[in-house]
Amino acid sequence: AGGDGKKAAGVADPARIWVGNLPAEIEADVVTAAFTKFGEVTRFQRRNPTARFCFLTFASADAAKAAVESGPIELDGEELTVQQSTATRVRADRVRNTRPNRRQVPQEE
């Protein structure tokens, strides 16, 4: 990535971490609050309310690194696993909807 502020395709975000072993149905604000001691959390991502993991994005890579280096974090009686995220955001090679939209309304001329 150059100085244009854009991330390179296929590169993991250094400010993003993976948090595993979440207590079932724990609220996003509780998880976020537990990690603000490392820095500002700018994004919480979980696919569904019962998922046992989430991704957190910090305002800085240093904050994410501090969270990872802190070791396991206890929350609601569970020992959370904290790792640097290796997921990438760019998935340009995927085609999301390969079937034509059957509900498409013809345009009038």
Side-chain angles (χ1 to χ4, degrees):
D4 60 4
K6 295 181 181 177
K7 291 183 178 36
V11 176
D13 184 347
R16 191 172 188 226
I17 63 170
W18 178 88
V19 180
N21 203 35
L22 287 177
E25 299 184 26
I26 192 164
E27 297 292 326
D29 58 343
V30 175
V31 178
T32 302
F35 284 87
T36 56
K37 62 185 172 187
F38 303 110
E40 180 188 356
V41 177
T42 59
R43 186 171 186 198
F44 173 92
Q45 252 184 306
R46 183 169 52 184
R47 290 189 186 263
N48 65 60
T50 59
R52 298 292 309 256
F53 69 93
C54 70
F55 292 94
L56 295 177
T57 304
F58 287 91
S60 73
D62 289 340
K65 184 178 179 183
V68 170
E69 291 178 349
S70 74
I73 294 173
E74 189 168 323
L75 185 63
D76 276 8
E78 297 284 350
E79 193 172 271
L80 306 184
T81 304
V82 182
Q83 299 174 351
Q84 185 66 46
S85 172
T86 57
T88 59
R89 290 176 170 233
V90 178
R91 294 187 175 101
D93 58 332
R94 282 191 184 176
V95 177
R96 293 205 120 199
N97 187 3
T98 57
R99 295 190 322 172
N101 187 347
R102 295 180 186 173
R103 295 183 183 190
Q104 189 171 11
V105 178
Q107 298 295 317
E108 291 184 27
E109 294 183 25

